Structures are given as C-alpha cells and as structure tokens.
Amino acid sequence: MSTSAVLRVALPRARPRRRFGVAARGFAGVLILLAAWQISVPLVGLSPYFYPAPTDVLAAFVALVRKGILPVYLADSVMRYLTGLVCGAGLGIGFGVLIGMSRKASLALSPLFKFLFAIVEVAWIPIFVVWFGYGIETIVLALIYVVFFPVLYNTLLGVRTAPQILVNAVRSLGASRLQVLRLVILPGALPGIITGLRLGAGFAFRGLVFAEMVAAKTGIGYLIFEGAQAQQTSRTIVGMIVMGLLWLAIDQFYLRPIERATIQRWGLTIDAAERT
Amino acid sequence: MLRLPATVTTLLLIALVAYWLAGIVGAHDKLAAIAPPPTSRGDYRITLAFAPERFHQLLLQDKGRLVEVRGNVVFMKDVDPAALRSIARNYWVESVARWSGH
C-alpha cells in the first residue's frame, strides 16, 4: 500500500452529513453507557466510594466548578501540557534534523538517544523531584522527555526519506545547505514531524497525569490522585472524564486539522480521498 | 484549512477575556463594601459560598496570613491591597469585609 493510500485510510474526509451521523452514533453510544452505568448502581448495591453513579459524578463536577477548583486545575494542566509539548517538540525537531543531516551528529548522538529512549519518564520523575522539587519544572521536564523521542524519530524518518532526486536537483541549482533544508528537507519531513507531534501529544497526556500525581499540588492528574486519597471516588472519575474530553478536544480541534492540512499541502492526498 | 483551530482558539481567547473581565467587575462590587479603599496591609474576613477546602486555604495562604476558618468564613491578617483584589476576583468568594483582628 502506498503512503498516500495509507494516509487516505487514516484521514478520511467526511462530508458534513456523514460527520453528523458519526457524531450522533458516538453520542448515542455514550448515552447507552451512562444509562447502563446508572441502572447498574442499585443492582450492584455498593457504596458511592466503591461505585459512584453518574449522578454522583455530575454532582462532584458541579461542586468542583462552583468551588473554583476545576477551572484552576484545568488551566494549570493545560499550561504545563502546552509548555512541555512545545519545548519537547522543538527539541525533537531540532535534533531530528541535525541527526538526519549530519553524519557526525548522528554518530555522536544516536547511541545516547537510544539509551535514553529505553529509560521511561516514570523512572526520571523521582530524580527530577530531587533536583527541582515538586512543581512545574519537574512536570514540564517529564513532558519534554516524553514528547522528545517520538518527534525526534519521526522527524529523523522524514528527513531521511526526503526524495534524494529533489535534494540533488536543488543542489545542482546552487542551493546552499540551509536552502536545501528549507526548500526540500523540511517540507518533505513535515508529515513525519506532524505524525511524531501527534504521537508525542498523546504520550505527553499520559505523562502529564502521572507527573501531576507525583509532583504537583494542582492539576487534573492531582485531582485524580487526591480524589482517591480522600475517598472521593466521584472526583477521581470527574478528573478522568475531563482528561479524556480534553484529549478529544485537542485531537479533534487541533491535531487532526493540522495533520490534514499538512498532508494536503504537501500533496499526499489523492482524489479518492475526497470521496471517502 | 486551519479554520477550525483558529476558530476554537479565538473562542477560547474570548471566553478567557470574558472570565477575566467578569472577575474584575466582581472584585469591584465586592470591594465596594470596604470604604475607604485599602491602601496598606489589613485584616479581612473572606466569606465563601461553602466551607473552604484545602485548595482554597492554600490559595489564600499565598495572599496573606490565614488565621482561622469558621464555617464558610476565612479570617486573614496582613493582606496587602493587591492581594485583596486578587482574592476578590475569584468567583467563589462571596464577600470581603474588614476584620478587627480579634
């Protein structure tokens, strides 16, 4: 299967009516799940601490908003997430291009990055806490670490698979190394970079929850942890739902459109994609 | 092509500005009860619509010296005017009043 065909399958361009139908079906699925959950609560007969009903979760959500806790936690989490994502992606793209274009840099850095890649961020967090204490520095560093590797390796892949014929053509026209990078390598690597960014963004979300559980006194991850500690299971579930919804919103409103725009801009769609 | 991210970002920014403005207007109304306006550190009684949780206590501790919590009321000392305004900007703060400190 060609790259364009893969992308076509991965990124169908839905028509508004079909998109509405898909959304309606998704919504119906959620409603059925909620109804089943609510009905099961009296049947199971456990206390709300063990098995809260959707109405308990809704009440916890309303209380968290009314008390101003959820908006602050959400803002803190989003701020940490964006800072980690932007810094991690910037470093990943920079090192990916460097390693992809320079043999010396590749020889010097690849073994180190392979080694570091094997050490998951969870292992670093205790060290970061020792070095930087509890707070934003530790969380952002953990997120940078999580985002860095998927962006790095996908950028590297993009740089190395840039069409050599185009590189040669631009070079033969007298382009400098920087011009080759700007005119051929980066545009060619962009779909790879975007894929890495999307992967990194997803991993960062998981990293954020864990880092906030360990090294923060605010944030959605902390809410999940604090709710469980204080036997307020409804609050934990609110945190989980908010996390899920936040990711859906980021993916739907930002990552997908950016990915689609990149792929269309650099000519990786075919007519059939429009019909899908 | 990137109309959706741009629209969502614009809407978010509008919502943030509206939230910020609502906080300023709300703080103005709450502080109107304190006359004359504070110019130096003072002691205040902060009333919330609910019993404060750890989150509120930690947040208020950053703004001054939290002395006591009684029901929905938090008693604070040495709060400077800027900190008082930032406390009053929170929508979960119901009212702010001077406190004699005893």
Side-chain angles (χ1 to χ4, degrees):
Chain A
M1 193 185 274
S2 67
T3 311
S4 53
V6 170
L7 293 169
R8 192 181 68 221
V9 172
L11 293 163
R13 224 177 120 85
R15 288 177 181 165
R17 194 194 246 173
R18 184 176 288 179
R19 212 179 290 165
F20 177 76
V22 168
R25 275 199 294 275
F27 190 63
V30 172
L31 279 182
I32 290 167
L33 180 75
L34 284 174
W37 180 8
Q38 183 68 49
I39 291 164
S40 71
V41 170
L43 298 175
V44 172
L46 291 169
S47 73
Y49 165 59
F50 281 106
Y51 192 52
T55 46
D56 296 328
V57 176
L58 183 66
F61 171 79
V62 171
L64 284 167
V65 173
R66 194 172 72 92
K67 292 179 177 183
I69 298 173
L70 194 58
V72 171
Y73 282 7
L74 188 61
D76 285 356
S77 287
V78 169
M79 191 53 73
R80 290 164 187 158
Y81 177 74
L82 289 179
T83 311
L85 186 63
V86 168
C87 296
L91 287 170
I93 293 167
F95 277 105
V97 170
L98 182 70
I99 292 174
M101 291 192 69
S102 160
R103 196 172 151 71
K104 279 179 190 167
S106 175
L107 287 171
L109 295 172
S110 291
L112 176 69
F113 286 149
K114 276 180 193 159
F115 170 74
L116 291 173
F117 185 48
I119 306 170
V120 291
E121 79 283 0
V122 175
W124 281 101
I125 290 175
I127 300 281
F128 289 156
V129 169
V130 171
W131 289 342
F132 305 104
Y134 292 94
I136 188 164
E137 295 91 345
T138 296
I139 296 166
V140 168
L141 268 175
L143 294 188
I144 289 172
Y145 192 82
V146 172
V147 174
F148 178 74
F149 290 104
V151 175
L152 171 85
Y153 286 119
N154 279 285
T155 304
L156 190 56
L157 187 72
V159 169
R160 286 190 174 159
T161 53
Q164 193 58 40
I165 193 166
L166 294 180
V167 175
N168 292 341
V170 175
R171 269 190 190 147
S172 69
L173 292 169
S176 66
R177 208 173 154 91
L178 204 66
Q179 282 173 318
V180 172
L181 174 71
R182 191 170 58 83
L183 297 171
V184 182
I185 305 283
L186 277 183
L190 211 51
I193 293 171
I194 296 295
T195 304
L197 202 61
R198 200 164 167 200
L199 279 173
F203 291 152
F205 227 70
R206 290 164 205 186
L208 177 71
V209 177
F210 184 77
E212 284 185 341
M213 280 180 179
V214 176
K217 293 287 171 221
T218 60
I220 301 296
Y222 177 71
L223 175 69
I224 293 170
F225 179 69
E226 188 195 33
Q229 290 275 305
Q231 303 195 345
Q232 292 174 310
T233 313
S234 304
R235 286 194 176 189
T236 298
I237 296 174
V238 169
M240 289 159 66
I241 292 172
V242 168
M243 215 65 182
L245 290 176
L246 189 60
W247 170 249
L248 280 181
I250 291 171
D251 190 52
Q252 196 67 32
F253 297 143
Y254 290 96
L255 297 176
R256 268 170 183 262
I258 290 170
E259 189 175 44
R260 189 173 285 148
T262 310
I263 287 164
Q264 285 186 354
R265 167 69 180 83
W266 301 107
L268 289 169
T269 51
I270 53 176
D271 289 346
E274 305 296 323
R275 295 197 300 270
T276 312
Chain B
M1 191 58 64
L2 293 174
R3 214 183 306 156
L4 185 62
T7 309
V8 172
T9 307
T10 309
L11 289 175
L12 282 175
L13 287 175
I14 290 170
L16 281 175
V17 170
Y19 179 77
W20 180 66
L21 286 175
I24 289 176
V25 172
H28 184 265
D29 292 347
K30 288 169 205 167
L31 292 173
I34 301 172
T39 51
S40 60
R41 285 174 177 273
D43 305 338
Y44 296 96
R45 212 176 57 208
I46 317 290
T47 307
L48 315 186
F50 45 83
E53 293 192 22
R54 190 164 170 268
F55 164 80
H56 307 98
Q57 293 179 17
L58 288 175
L59 202 138
L60 291 172
Q61 267 170 7
D62 281 345
K63 316 281 181 189
R65 196 148 54 87
L66 196 153
V67 180
E68 193 188 346
V69 178
R70 216 181 296 156
N72 293 359
V73 184
V74 181
F75 296 90
M76 295 187 68
K77 285 190 166 199
D78 298 329
V79 183
D80 74 56
L84 186 68
R85 276 195 296 278
S86 86
I87 290 172
R89 271 204 292 271
N90 291 303
Y91 66 85
W92 41 268
V93 170
E94 214 162 58
S95 66
V96 178
R98 280 191 206 280
W99 175 47
S100 60
H102 300 295

